[in-house]
Amino acid sequence: WDAVLPRAHTYLYRPPLVGRQDVIETIDRAASDALERRGGLLLIAGESGVGKTRLAFEVTRQAARNVFTVIAGGCSSTGSQAGCARPLEPVLPFLHAVVDRCAEHGPEEHTRLLGDDAALLAPFEPLLGKRGQVAVPQLPVAAARARLYRALEHTLTAYAESAPLFLVLDDLQWADELSLGLLAHLAAGALRQQPVLVLGLYRCEESTPELERLADERDVQACQLSRLSPHEVGRMVAGMLSIDEAATNPAASVAWYS
């Protein structure tokens, strides 16, 4: 019998989230506080590939079930490595969401979310400045930044009035100075009585002095995501292969079932 059987397909499944219960509990407590209008900033550091983005995916999926509006942004390495990181890059998805909401609900919502600050935010998202844009008075650099941070604070908190907001900012090791300044402003009490949780993620091996100072601020919660233990890696491999048990040595387990 010379029939050729079809080649069997190899399946890998999404592994379970293992070894992160302590950090998940910290995020859950922060989310519960935000639901009670006690928002804030939570920073999670970890090595590249340790699972920060996967963790954020899992916790925000749960947050979305708990009435949060989840918006995710991040920083790219291209501009940072060239010394020209895009200003406010991690919060641009939030500004895009503001544009969408204004388009959906009209001038009254535009006024509620932006007030007189549309012209301040238009350089970062031009569509915000189309309605009756007025000239922005010139100020010294420090005062102009403080004015911008207050405008963003107002828009964030106004946006969250319709539903609590969970804002995820990934790869903050590449964030620009303006973005880190905004986070410092928000952490210094701006979110203390608001239903807003900001979750920032960054690579500890590429962190910057500015980011470390932010993590050390009194009102900032900071967590370190460590590597998984061999046993936890084995559990993850078992989940990916959909088997009941993995060998103590994950590499041996993969070889055995391949």
Side-chain angles (χ1 to χ4, degrees):
W1 186 39
D2 296 328
V4 178
L5 296 177
R7 184 175 180 177
H9 293 285
T10 300
Y11 292 99
L12 287 179
Y13 299 88
R14 181 186 296 275
L17 189 65
V18 299
R20 304 303 187 202
Q21 194 56 40
D22 55 341
V23 180
I24 291 174
E25 289 174 357
T26 298
I27 299 173
D28 285 345
R29 285 194 297 270
S32 296
D33 287 344
L35 289 175
E36 299 295 328
R37 302 186 72 88
R38 298 192 302 272
L41 171 63
L42 173 59
L43 295 178
I44 297 179
E47 293 175 292
S48 175
V50 81
K52 300 181 296 297
T53 304
R54 169 70 193 283
L55 174 68
F57 172 79
E58 295 294 342
V59 297
T60 53
R61 186 171 63 171
Q62 181 61 40
R65 297 193 188 106
N66 292 336
V67 309
F68 275 98
T69 297
V70 176
I71 300 176
C75 305
S76 62
S77 62
T78 306
S80 176
Q81 292 172 352
C84 55
R86 187 177 181 185
L88 294 182
E89 182 180 17
V91 298
L92 292 181
F94 167 71
L95 295 181
H96 299 161
V98 172
V99 169
D100 291 342
R101 184 174 287 186
C102 291
E104 181 179 358
H105 297 286
E108 290 185 2
E109 186 71 353
H110 186 277
T111 299
R112 187 183 76 83
L113 292 177
L114 299 165
D116 297 326
D117 297 326
L120 289 173
L121 302 182
F124 309 99
E125 175 43 76
L127 292 178
L128 291 175
K130 286 190 171 182
R131 290 184 192 274
Q133 183 169 331
V134 296
V136 177
Q138 295 296 311
L139 292 176
V141 173
R145 285 192 176 190
R147 179 178 61 184
L148 175 63
Y149 296 156
R150 289 192 299 270
L152 285 163
E153 173 193 344
H154 165 78
T155 301
L156 273 168
T157 55
Y159 191 95
E161 285 301 315
S162 57
L165 177 61
F166 197 131
L167 186 60
V168 181
L169 308 178
D170 203 357
D171 286 322
L172 287 179
Q173 73 276 0
W174 295 320
D176 65 289
E177 184 181 355
L178 202 57
S179 297
L180 294 178
L182 171 64
L183 293 179
H185 172 85
L186 295 176
L191 303 180
R192 199 170 293 151
Q193 296 180 333
Q194 301 297 335
V196 179
L197 176 60
V198 180
L199 176 63
L201 313 169
Y202 66 97
R203 297 179 181 178
C204 55
E205 72 271 23
E206 297 184 47
S207 183
T208 62
E210 295 80 8
L211 193 49
E212 292 303 318
R213 283 196 295 270
L214 178 62
D216 288 338
E217 289 291 333
R218 182 186 62 183
D219 293 325
V220 175
Q221 297 185 72
C223 298
Q224 182 79 25
L225 205 61
S226 59
R227 295 182 182 183
L228 296 175
S229 69
H231 173 69
E232 290 164 342
V233 173
R235 289 175 55 198
M236 186 174 68
V237 170
M240 293 174 68
L241 298 174
S242 190
I243 57 178
D244 291 334
E245 295 182 358
T248 304
N249 184 339
S253 177
V254 173
W256 178 260
Y257 286 97
S258 62

